Amino acid sequence: MLACDLLVAGVDGDAVVALAAESARTLPAPDANRRLAAVTAELGLPEPELPTAVALIAADTCERILDHSIPAEVGTHRLYVVGHEGSPLDDLLPTVAALVAHLEDDLGGRADEDLQTRLAALARIILNRLRAENSA
């Protein structure tokens, strides 16, 4: 999805185009990581530190949850990123885990309106915390 955003912004290098052509739903993580590394190299960007990467992924996921560009089921699972070592959001991992457990155990993997509401509230909390951290 990042590669598609880059294309829209006018960044159209070979690695960006190759990544944008892939499906975010079916591209295996190791292949995605290789392609993203190629994009990073192509753009001459240094690889971000883990806390920065976590914050970027969490923010992007939250924005996509709120604008409904990814299903709630996908967004819920993607928020597990908050639990990575060094994450500024690691205290939210129990909340994410509870949402995932509810989604999988109680709802059979299909988000209902209540889960979507709770997920949107969590997404707003995460974005507000990241914004506050960046302005501090």
Side-chain angles (χ1 to χ4, degrees), residues 3 5 8 12 28 38 49 55-56 74 104 121 128 131 136:
D5 292 343
V8 169
D12 61 356
E49 298 293 325
L56 290 170
V74 173
E104 297 303 329
N128 287 338
R131 288 179 185 129

Side-chain angles (χ1 to χ4, degrees), residues 127-136:
L127 287 172
N128 287 338
R129 282 190 42 192
L130 290 172
R131 288 179 185 129
E133 185 177 294
N134 285 334
S135 64

Side-chain angles (χ1 to χ4, degrees), residues 71-94:
E73 297 86 356
V74 173
T76 303
H77 285 281
R78 285 191 186 165
L79 285 181
Y80 261 124
V81 71
V82 302
H84 282 286
E85 185 178 330
S87 166
L89 304 164
D90 63 351
D91 62 305
L92 296 174
L93 183 58

Side-chain angles (χ1 to χ4, degrees), residues 1 25 57-58 60-66 68-82 96 99-100 103 111 115 119-120 122-123 126:
M1 290 185 276
R25 294 178 189 214
I57 293 167
D60 181 69
T61 300
C62 290
E63 289 168 0
R64 292 177 190 280
I65 288 167
L66 293 172
H68 305 286
S69 63
I70 60 173
E73 297 86 356
V74 173
T76 303
H77 285 281
R78 285 191 186 165
L79 285 181
Y80 261 124
V81 71
V82 302
V96 172
L99 280 178
V100 171
L103 172 66
L115 185 128
L119 181 62
L122 178 59
I126 290 170

Side-chain angles (χ1 to χ4, degrees), residues 2-21 35 38-44:
L2 169 66
C4 292
D5 292 343
L6 288 170
L7 287 175
V8 169
V11 179
D12 61 356
D14 292 341
V16 172
V17 171
L19 181 57
R35 291 194 184 272
V39 168
T40 302
E42 182 174 82
L43 298 177

Side-chain angles (χ1 to χ4, degrees), residues 30-57:
D31 294 341
N33 290 338
R34 280 193 293 280
R35 291 194 184 272
L36 184 57
V39 168
T40 302
E42 182 174 82
L43 298 177
L45 300 172
E47 200 167 308
E49 298 293 325
L50 185 59
T52 301
V54 167
L56 290 170
I57 293 167

